[in-house]
């Protein structure tokens, strides 16, 4: 049975297969459910690959035992065939054209603040956040976070000076776009305002943010959705208020883990509302009372949650609100998810169905 699945277009993903494969995709090719913890992956940084080199390094630990000792080229081919299932050929061509368009923008755009393009934790982040992630223990991380609802974590993250610089950089980029009459990609299919940060050179900085800060946190709080294997991202800002997007409808993100940080400015309204985590089969099911959460944005404060945590944003009634979002993805999790039917480790509805089956089984046994 062919396991190929089409990838949903319009999500702003910049990591797609663009090289023709030398042989047809084989449905039998798949990853192991558990990684080979003792295996040391190859280094792929020296190659021009259609996906990020870190994606191949992450996947390699999940290759079948017979492939672990194969040549690097053989491993690459095997992993390419798996990864290419995410994107049909037409979408791969679209992604390649977007990459070329991005390179043209980066080669022409002159940054306003070059210090933003290299991650500098001491100047970007709150000291409490730096120390907690640096200590790298669950205890240290929990010391700085609040969990107002299961699976939603909030914490102080960005310094006000960084927020101001990033807002100015985005304004400068949008001004350059208008003057140059360059077409840019908006963050996703739901937001008509904002910008993809990767498109004007911030991709490397955001990769470091994901690798060095978000993945260590996700390893602790979201291991069941690939938190320890995050290997690609989509980074962008969204804008709400007068003459901008007003609100955001009920949805799930195209991510395993989402980081959402308010940058400012002065505003009222715009609170996030959360309504429970769901898999594809249960995305439209009812919300349980314990899953309801309304969260009010505070500049510099971050929200970290699963991408499948259903949420939306209420209307920004006064002023102008801008948020930084980082959708973090795991190619390992996405591949392994294809082999599963139930997700009781993270889907709220799958958990309830499992409990109902257990209760029915106990009742039947008693009868």
């Amino acid at each position: 049975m062919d396991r190929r699945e089409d990838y949903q277009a319009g999500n702003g993903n910049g990591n797609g297969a663009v090289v023709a494969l030398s042989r047809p995709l084989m449905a039998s090719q798949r990853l192991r459910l558990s990684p080979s913890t003792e295996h040391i992956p190859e280094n792929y940084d020296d190659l021009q690959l259609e996906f990020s080199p870190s994606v191949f390094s992450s996947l390699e630990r999940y290759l079948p035992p017979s492939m672990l000792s194969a040549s690097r080229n053989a491993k690459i081919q095997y992993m390419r065939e798996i990864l290419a299932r995410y994107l049909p050929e037409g979408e791969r061509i679209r992604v390649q054209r977007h990459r070329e368009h991005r390179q043209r923008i980066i080669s022409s755009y002159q940054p306003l603040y070059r210090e933003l393009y290299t991650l500098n934790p001491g100047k970007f982040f709150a000291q409490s956040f730096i120390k907690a992630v640096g200590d790298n223990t669950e205890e240290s991380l929990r010391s700085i976070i609040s969990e107002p609802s299961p699976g939603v974590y909030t914490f102080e993250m960005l310094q006000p000076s960084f927020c101001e610089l990033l807002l100015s950089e985005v304004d400068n980029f949008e001004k350059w776009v208008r003057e140059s009459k360059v077409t840019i990609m908006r963050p996703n299919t739901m937001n008509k305002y904002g910008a993809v940060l990767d498109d004007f050179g911030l991709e490397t900085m955001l990769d470091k943010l994901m690798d060095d800060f978000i993945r260590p946190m996700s390893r602790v709080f979201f291991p069941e959705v690939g938190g320890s294997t995050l290997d690609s991202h989509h980074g962008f800002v969204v804008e709400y208020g007068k003459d901008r997007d007003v609100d955001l409808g009920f949805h799930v993100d195209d991510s395993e883990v989402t980081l959402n940080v308010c940058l400012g400015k002065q505003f009222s309204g715009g609170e996030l509302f959360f309504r429970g985590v769901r898999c594809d089969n249960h995305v439209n099911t009812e919300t349980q009372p314990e899953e309801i959460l309304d969260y009010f944005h505070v500049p510099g404060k971050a929200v970290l949650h699963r991408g499948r945590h259903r949420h939306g944003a209420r209307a920004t009634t006064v002023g102008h609100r801008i948020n930084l979002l980082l959708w973090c993805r795991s190619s390992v999790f996405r591949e392994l998810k294809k082999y599963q039917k139930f997700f009781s480790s993270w889907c709220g509805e799958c958990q309830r169905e499992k409990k109902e089956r257990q209760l029915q089984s106990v009742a039947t046994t008693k009868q």
Side-chain angles (χ1 to χ4, degrees):
M1 181 178 180
D2 193 342
R3 294 182 181 274
R4 270 177 280 180
E5 295 181 1
D6 286 349
Y7 192 92
Q8 295 299 314
N11 56 26
N13 182 9
N15 296 316
V18 296
V19 177
L21 302 176
S22 61
R23 63 179 189 274
L25 291 176
M26 300 299 293
S28 61
Q29 289 187 315
R30 55 185 292 176
L31 303 175
R32 300 173 62 191
L33 292 177
S34 299
S36 176
T37 56
E38 297 179 356
H39 177 71
I40 300 176
E42 303 267 8
N43 187 310
Y44 298 95
D45 291 340
D46 61 316
L47 301 177
Q48 292 294 321
L49 299 168
E50 55 270 43
F51 290 84
S52 167
S54 62
V55 172
F56 289 88
S57 296
S58 295
L59 283 182
E60 188 175 325
R61 292 183 185 273
Y62 289 81
L63 291 177
S66 60
M67 287 299 302
L68 293 178
S69 58
S71 67
R72 188 171 71 157
N73 286 340
K75 293 175 186 175
I76 289 172
Q77 182 67 17
Y78 191 95
M79 290 186 284
R80 271 177 170 167
E81 294 180 2
I82 290 174
L83 289 167
R85 295 172 190 165
Y86 295 118
L87 296 174
E89 183 178 0
E91 181 64 7
R92 294 201 298 271
I93 294 172
R94 187 198 68 79
V95 168
Q96 174 63 6
R97 287 175 178 170
H98 176 231
R99 278 185 171 275
E100 294 170 353
H101 181 61
R102 173 182 293 178
Q103 288 303 316
R104 287 194 293 270
I105 290 176
I106 292 174
S107 64
S108 301
Y109 173 67
Q110 295 298 317
L112 185 62
Y113 298 108
R114 291 194 177 274
E115 58 266 36
L116 289 174
Y117 292 76
T118 302
L119 188 68
N120 187 332
K123 292 186 177 180
F124 289 8
F125 305 139
Q127 288 302 311
S128 58
F129 176 67
I130 297 172
K131 185 178 186 306
V133 177
D135 291 345
N136 199 27
T137 65
E138 182 173 351
E139 182 181 8
S140 68
L141 293 172
R142 289 195 179 277
S143 71
I144 65 165
I145 67 169
S146 299
E147 190 177 3
S149 181
V152 179
Y153 301 97
T154 66
F155 49 93
E156 297 290 341
M157 181 180 174
L158 297 180
Q159 293 187 20
S161 57
F162 172 81
C163 295
E164 292 174 6
L165 289 181
L166 185 55
L167 287 173
S168 296
E169 188 70 46
V170 172
D171 285 343
N172 186 64
F173 175 66
E174 293 185 340
K175 179 182 177 182
W176 176 84
V177 166
R178 291 191 297 271
E179 293 174 350
S180 304
K181 297 182 179 180
V182 173
T183 302
I184 65 167
M185 176 181 286
R186 293 304 178 184
N188 51 63
T189 56
M190 300 182 72
N191 289 98
K192 297 179 181 178
Y193 295 90
V196 178
L197 299 178
D198 298 341
D199 280 355
F200 58 96
L202 286 166
E203 182 175 9
T204 300
M205 187 274 280
L206 294 176
D207 261 336
K208 288 286 289 180
L209 170 60
M210 181 187 71
D211 292 345
D212 296 348
F213 290 90
I214 305 308
R215 189 161 58 205
M217 299 185 75
S218 300
R219 184 182 295 116
V220 172
F221 298 121
F222 307 118
E224 72 289 340
V225 293
S228 62
T229 57
L230 300 177
D231 51 27
S232 65
H233 77 265
H234 174 47
F236 55 95
V237 294
V238 290
E239 302 181 32
Y240 296 91
K242 186 179 179 180
D243 300 325
R244 296 289 188 273
D245 291 319
V246 176
D247 55 17
L248 188 63
F250 195 51
H251 68 285
V252 295
D253 295 338
D254 180 25
S255 68
E256 275 59 75
V257 176
T258 292
L259 173 73
N260 186 340
V261 195
C262 182
L263 299 175
K265 305 174 180 178
Q266 298 294 323
F267 61 90
S268 296
E271 54 267 47
L272 283 177
F273 59 92
F274 290 92
R275 297 296 184 263
V277 185
R278 296 292 187 274
C279 66
D280 290 339
N281 295 330
H282 296 127
V283 70
N284 293 316
T285 55
E286 293 184 5
T287 301
Q288 303 301 314
E290 66 274 13
E291 295 176 323
I292 296 175
L293 170 67
D294 286 1
Y295 171 79
F296 294 85
H297 287 289
V298 177
K301 195 168 186 177
V303 184
L304 194 69
H305 60 86
R306 295 176 183 86
R308 299 296 308 186
H309 206 137
R310 302 180 300 178
H311 62 284
R314 293 201 171 89
T316 298
T317 54
V318 177
H320 191 194
R321 177 171 68 85
I322 303 179
N323 280 49
L324 163 66
L325 285 104
L326 192 68
W327 286 358
C328 302
R329 297 161 174 158
S330 166
S331 54
V332 170
F333 175 78
R334 293 185 176 211
E335 177 62 21
L336 296 181
K337 191 171 68 170
K338 297 177 183 179
Y339 313 145
Q340 303 173 55
K341 294 182 179 179
F342 305 104
F343 304 96
S344 58
S345 64
W346 55 272
C347 171
E349 196 63 29
C350 284
Q351 290 173 357
R352 276 182 281 280
E353 290 182 354
K354 182 179 179 180
K355 289 179 180 178
E356 288 179 3
R357 290 193 299 269
Q358 291 172 339
L359 291 174
Q360 291 174 357
S361 178
V362 170
T364 302
T365 302
K366 287 181 176 180
Q367 280 188 334

